[in-house]
Amino acid sequence: HRLVRSIVFRLVPDSALDDLVQEAFVRVWKKQTELRDSGAAKAWVCKIALNVAYDELRRRGRSLETEGEPELAVAAESG
């Protein structure tokens, strides 16, 4: 749990952290049958956590665009 929380926190250090960590574990649970190599489970869970954080950052970029500030969304996407 701490590792996933740490990964997500590095990209999204705000009040959405708990929800995003929970989303990561939900995805792990739903996709657990897709894990082929149990030795790679830690890396697999970390990748899912990263993807959840990236999805949130992309979602936020789109929401900024729809709020009438496309320059902020472009800045967020470029780095």
Side-chain angles (χ1 to χ4, degrees):
H1 180 263
R2 269 188 287 190
L3 180 60
V4 169
R5 188 174 179 81
S6 174
I7 290 169
V8 174
F9 179 77
R10 290 173 192 230
L11 293 170
V12 189
D14 61 27
S15 62
L17 179 62
D18 289 333
D19 290 337
L20 296 173
V21 170
Q22 181 176 0
E23 174 62 24
F25 282 110
V26 167
R27 289 187 191 182
V28 166
W29 178 257
K30 287 181 178 180
K31 296 183 178 286
Q32 65 184 335
T33 58
E34 296 177 19
L35 179 62
R36 305 256 188 259
D37 178 11
S38 61
K42 186 175 179 180
W44 182 72
V45 170
C46 289
K47 182 64 176 173
I48 290 173
L50 274 173
N51 287 340
V52 166
Y54 289 143
D55 288 348
E56 176 64 12
L57 292 174
R58 280 191 293 272
R59 185 195 67 77
R60 289 180 183 193
R62 278 197 294 274
S63 69
L64 286 174
E65 248 180 84
T66 59
E67 291 173 7
E69 298 181 14
E71 65 278 0
L72 291 178
V74 171
E77 289 174 5
S78 63

